[in-house]
Amino acid sequence: MDGRRTLAERTATAAPPERLSAQIRDTLGLFRSSGFGRRAALLVAALVCVIGLTAYMQIRLNAWNEPFYDALTRKDMAAFVTQLGVFAVLAGILLVLNVSQLWLDQTMKLTLRRGLFRALVRDWMAPGRALRLSRAGKIGENPDQRLQADVDQLADLSAALGIGLFQATLLLGSFIGVLWQKSEGFSLSFGGQSHEIPGFMVWCALFYAVAASWLSWRVGRPLVALRAEESAREAVLRFDLVRISEAAGRIALERGERAETSRIETSFAGVVGIVEAVILATANLTWVTAGYGWFTLVAPILVAAPFYFTSDMSIGELMMVAGAFTQVQGSLRWFVSNFTVIATWRATLFRVTSFHRAVLAVDRAEAAAEADGPRIVRREDAGRIEIAGLHVVTPHVGVRLDPPDVTVAPGERVLLHGGSGSGKTLLFDTLAGLWTRAEGRIAMPPPDRVMYLPTRAYVPPGRLDLALCYPKPADRYGHDQMVAALDAVGLGHLAAALGESGRWDQLLGQSDKQCLVFARALLRCPDWLVMDDVLDQLDPEALTRIEALLQGRLARLGVLGIGDGATPLPVFGRVVQIVAEPGSARPGAGTAAP
């Protein structure tokens, strides 16, 4: 071993921050970069006001307990009716506040999701970064879940837990004073003497809540790791299902349904195993949370009972003290009540921050990997394509050209010829800048003047006119221009469907998809085409038509083709051989191939 690490290893070892504070700080920084910070600040201010008013009204409602129950004790009908009217007013105001808080709560969750999603997508879709991340190992798997399910869950739980914690803290501060005041005069007799304990009910509520929180933490701590693993396994299962749906036709041709069923069942078994572990851990935690929940029904009465039976405390005062005790210990027990939710939030926060950190670190990791191994010198040259001393390296194959120095002048057509397994696609990726582990010099035209045509044409789903003009907007070209481009490549029958949406990557055959890409070239008018085994993907009629285009309307284009020469064409005026070397002993050759 030469001590050098692959890109995958470098990114994997760039582990996400372990400290919760660091994860929260990273997430807040990510959200601030989205442009939704001002809107979130206004929503937080509104929530603080509504929650504050709600806490005040709850104090008023708790104080209402004393005159109401005292009226019942005295059997005073007039006072009873009066207190019912007071209750109606208090309940009406609380109802308005509850609805307002619900709307603000849901809007806050949506705002958090919009901000996190926008910031993550922008970082992920920086030029070439999504591809580099996909090569970075496990951290680059299933970005769909990180961006959709995890961001949605993180926004939802963050808002719910944040609002709940603030509300619990406010209620604690509001009712602890009431409970302390009502604990005055409470005394215990032991040793023949009476000892008064200031704030007795407060200390009881505090002890009760702390004991429940500590026990919940001890019992429920494994849930954090289990929830994270559950999300990862669910993502693997979803990926397998999507992959099979996309490849249903090819699987049917191979009669591979039984093999795919076995693969799905294996993925699902992994999900079932982790869910069973989550169920067991949740059940253990429920012994604590549910047990404390039921005991809470009588706990305040039991604590206040000695004082009630030994003093002149009325039933109304007892109910008011019990209500205050319930509010105080309920606020203190917020951790107990939400431990399962907190565990899920911690796991989701970890997944989102680790993904974002990997997105940002992958560029540095690749740059460091290039510094350790062979380096390629790239530059832009609007006048020609130049390849000098190129040597592409991987653990499996080394790729050279013979002759080693190739220059393609404007309008010239050159074929880089290689057989199966000679690294043609790897060479194409290197020319396009998608693969960087190579040495030598490459001069390519500016990106806006060259089109790269891979073996498998990319046709995005959606409207056909958007797929034709991709990545430009459809209004960049006129309707007549688009129809003429389709006619030129033999796809004129699709002109009527330009405004229709569909899965064109599935509706069109491989030859038609390549023809659609040549129609794009007619619209974009580049100066150069770089193709990877594209002409071999065309059926005979389409091949004849594209050959006529390359010698007619597209005759001014410079073309650098890569292929095995199975389809001899007069398009290319010169052939350069691709030389493949089995395995590469060059320094830095340990990076995984794309």
Side-chain angles (χ1 to χ4, degrees), residues 157-214:
L157 296 181
S158 295
L161 291 174
I163 292 171
L165 178 59
F166 175 73
Q167 194 163 19
T169 303
L170 195 59
L171 288 174
L172 176 62
S174 302
F175 281 96
I176 201 167
V178 175
L179 196 59
W180 188 283
Q181 180 183 3
K182 291 300 179 180
S183 297
E184 289 182 358
F186 187 89
S187 59
L188 292 177
S189 298
F190 53 89
Q193 294 183 345
S194 180
H195 301 274
E196 183 174 341
I197 304 176
F200 174 78
M201 296 286 289
V202 174
W203 298 118
C204 288
L206 180 62
F207 174 79
Y208 183 81
V210 169
S213 298
W214 179 83

Side-chain angles (χ1 to χ4, degrees), residues 24 107 130 186 194 206 217 250 364 433 452 471 479 491 511 540 584:
I24 294 175
T107 304
F186 187 89
S194 180
L206 180 62
W217 173 76
R250 283 165 284 172
R364 297 191 298 270
Y452 295 94
H479 182 268
L491 298 179
S511 178
S584 177

Side-chain angles (χ1 to χ4, degrees), residues 58-112:
Q58 285 180 303
I59 294 175
R60 294 289 303 272
L61 183 62
N62 185 66
W64 168 85
N65 278 302
E66 182 175 357
F68 178 73
Y69 283 102
D70 284 345
L72 285 175
T73 303
R74 298 192 309 269
K75 298 185 179 181
D76 187 339
M77 176 61 72
F80 174 75
V81 172
T82 299
Q83 292 306 316
L84 286 179
V86 173
F87 173 80
V89 173
L90 295 175
I93 295 173
L94 281 169
L95 177 61
V96 172
L97 291 172
N98 291 156
V99 174
S100 301
Q101 182 175 332
L102 174 66
W103 184 86
L104 291 169
D105 178 20
Q106 297 299 316
T107 304
M108 185 67 186
K109 292 175 181 177
L110 179 60
T111 300
L112 288 175

Side-chain angles (χ1 to χ4, degrees), residues 505-526:
D505 57 327
Q506 296 179 354
L507 295 172
L508 299 178
Q510 187 63 28
S511 178
D512 286 346
K513 286 189 282 189
Q514 292 293 3
C515 288
L516 188 70
V517 173
F518 278 101
R520 271 185 214 156
L522 289 172
L523 292 175
R524 290 172 57 178
C525 299

